[in-house]
Amino acid sequence: MITKYSNQKEQVKEDEIAQAAKEIQNGNLVIFPTETVYGIGANALDEVAVKKIFEAKGRAQDNPLIVHVASIEMVEKLVEKIGTVEQKLMEKFWPGPLTIIMKRKSKKVVPNVTTANLDTVGIRMPSNQIAQKLIEKAGLPIAAPSANISGKPSGTKIEDIIEEFNGKVSYILDGGITDIGLESTVIKVEDDKINILRPGKITKEQLEEVAKQVEIDKHVLGQISQDEIVASPGMKYRHYAPNTKCIMIYSQSEQKMIDKINEITNELQKEGKKILVLGRKKHINSYITPTKWNMGDTLEEVAKNIFTLLRKVDKENVDLVLIEGVGEQGLGLAITNRLIRACAYHYMIV
Ligand code: AMP
Ligand code: MG
């Protein structure tokens, strides 16, 4: 397959979006930017088209896709009803990085393959202009998981995406580096309570402005066994993980965290091992290893950089990667959720 590309970085032209929208209508795959990460999309209502996404990514069949819409009318066609809390969430956070799981209308409207046989469907209205226009021009809801081979970090940069998907999709719209860098917050409302199934840019603290009760699913930070039934099936898969062994190290005391990282580095360097440290910019000069990468200082910067850095880890040929933890406040919860998976649950709180 020959993949077509939009020409101008970050300034995709209307006719390029229109060509990509045609590909969606014809049942083909299009990679497009959203404000969170890049998506690999197909017509959510076309079973054959959606199957192509699973094939291209090597995604497990029981991992449902998020359906992207450009209007509330589109949502109404997909779900049984929009509840009061859901309505408030849409008003407050849409368009934006919040996916809402709702009861789907009928199997005839949204095919089983899109929802992985669940009777619910996850829906989101992206704020990215290219994504919005693509959905509008196609006139169809677009099912789109993150643009990465399953198990790899989500695609946030076009070069990484081309490496994995050139020749596997019909069109790639290049929107530059994605703004947020982490996938959307995924929630489900039950009895007026909001359950966070996957943390993201929209934080628990923000959701508490809409509902009195907001709970974090136990699988967000806990380990999951393969045969366990989880509210958000995607959470049980190996994700974001480099092949090199990684350990996340966190302490509420910055000095303790730095000391622990240096202590481990020192021990292993004596054995001739090479250590890579991923740390906050303000700490980077404190690390004794010669191989250290700056993750940024604010949580927003860390979120934006983390997948790009994790993707580069295996090329560095080190024995171990030590990654600074960032805590669980605000956007920290989403970063921590991705980091402990990248580290295959190897982490230390000191
Ligand atoms: P991705 O688009 O690759 O970031 O993955 C989508 C995430 O949303 C996965 O973790 C899915 O398990 C979750 N998801 C999508 N639809 C549903 C649904 N109907 N119920 C529960 N989780 C969902
Ligand atoms: Mg993904």
Side-chain angles (χ1 to χ4, degrees):
M1 183 189 297
I2 294 173
T3 302
K4 284 178 267 175
Y5 291 89
S6 61
N7 289 314
Q8 279 177 300
K9 245 189 190 304
E10 296 177 55
Q11 287 184 6
V12 180
K13 293 192 204 118
E14 294 288 327
D15 69 305
E16 291 171 328
I17 302 176
Q19 281 179 48
K22 268 261 156 357
E23 297 290 353
I24 294 284
Q25 289 170 343
N26 291 338
N28 295 324
L29 302 184
V30 172
I31 289 181
F32 62 98
T34 81
E35 67 277 22
T36 58
V37 298
Y38 275 83
I40 172 167
N43 174 2
L45 311 180
D46 178 343
E47 190 180 336
V48 178
V50 172
K51 278 189 180 147
K52 291 181 188 171
I53 298 178
F54 284 86
E55 277 164 32
K57 277 185 63 106
R59 187 176 174 103
Q61 299 288 331
D62 70 348
N63 193 359
L65 304 181
I66 293 170
V67 176
H68 295 71
V69 298
S71 66
I72 299 295
E73 291 76 59
M74 270 190 187
V75 183
E76 285 166 345
K77 287 186 189 148
L78 304 173
V79 302
E80 244 173 34
K81 78 173 195 357
I82 300 174
T84 329
V85 178
E86 283 94 341
Q87 172 111 32
K88 279 191 203 159
L89 290 169
M90 289 174 191
E91 280 164 18
K92 198 167 168 68
F93 298 112
W94 278 10
L98 181 73
T99 298
I100 307 175
I101 311 284
M102 288 173 278
K103 198 145 196 314
R104 72 167 150 158
K105 196 161 237 166
S106 107
K107 286 181 185 168
K108 287 197 195 96
V109 183
V110 188
N112 274 333
V113 58
T114 305
T115 67
N117 289 313
L118 296 173
D119 61 358
T120 53
V121 55
I123 305 182
R124 170 168 117 76
M125 188 187 288
S127 62
N128 179 290
Q129 288 301 304
I130 298 171
Q132 273 194 9
K133 284 182 188 163
L134 177 70
I135 304 164
E136 273 165 20
K137 284 184 201 284
L140 291 162
I142 297 183
S146 50
N148 53 278
I149 299 295
S150 279
K152 293 281 166 217
S154 300
T156 55
K157 214 169 122 210
I158 208 74
E159 291 78 7
D160 294 334
I161 288 166
I162 292 172
E163 209 176 297
E164 288 182 357
F165 291 105
N166 185 37
K168 288 193 187 171
V169 301
S170 295
Y171 210 104
I172 295 181
L173 292 166
D174 177 357
I177 294 174
T178 53
D179 274 348
I180 298 170
L182 291 183
E183 308 85 347
S184 60
T185 307
V186 177
I187 63 103
K188 190 174 182 184
V189 178
E190 263 160 320
D191 304 327
D192 292 340
K193 186 180 83 188
I194 298 177
N195 282 315
I196 300 179
L197 307 186
R198 177 178 72 185
K201 172 76 178 171
I202 304 293
T203 61
K204 178 170 190 273
E205 292 82 350
Q206 284 175 289
L207 294 167
E208 278 162 352
E209 289 169 25
V210 175
K212 279 199 203 87
Q213 247 188 309
V214 181
E215 275 187 16
I216 302 168
D217 190 275
K218 69 177 190 326
H219 295 120
V220 164
L221 294 176
Q223 194 159 359
I224 307 167
S225 61
Q226 279 310 307
D227 49 6
E228 213 168 329
I229 295 171
V230 293
S232 174
M235 296 284 266
K236 73 181 178 191
Y237 290 104
R238 181 188 151 92
H239 216 171
Y240 322 116
N243 294 322
T244 315
K245 182 169 180 186
C246 303
I247 306 176
M248 184 187 91
I249 293 172
Y250 179 68
S251 170
Q252 282 184 343
S253 146
E254 296 181 48
Q255 194 54 52
K256 262 192 178 171
M257 177 171 70
I258 294 166
D259 289 347
K260 189 75 196 171
I261 290 176
N262 281 336
E263 185 191 314
I264 300 174
T265 304
N266 187 37
E267 286 293 310
L268 292 169
Q269 278 182 344
K270 279 192 221 152
E271 296 171 19
K273 300 241 160 73
K274 205 175 152 195
I275 311 297
L276 166 65
V277 170
L278 267 61
R280 300 281 267 268
K281 188 176 169 198
K282 59 183 173 180
H283 302 147
I284 216 82
N285 289 331
S286 311
Y287 291 115
I288 58 171
T289 179
T291 325
K292 42 196 172 183
W293 294 350
N294 164 16
M295 303 198 291
D297 263 335
T298 63
L299 291 175
E300 281 73 19
E301 284 165 0
V302 176
K304 194 165 179 165
N305 293 331
I306 196 69
F307 286 151
T308 308
L309 295 175
L310 287 172
R311 275 175 175 272
K312 290 198 304 191
V313 159
D314 288 333
K315 293 178 185 148
E316 195 65 25
N317 277 320
V318 295
D319 298 290
L320 181 69
V321 188
L322 298 173
I323 310 176
E324 273 190 21
V326 297
E328 292 165 24
Q329 288 302 308
L331 187 55
L333 182 70
I335 298 168
T336 302
N337 167 269
R338 307 316 191 265
L339 281 182
I340 58 175
R341 281 171 173 72
C343 296
Y345 299 98
H346 297 291
Y347 60 89
M348 291 164 97
I349 315 280
V350 290

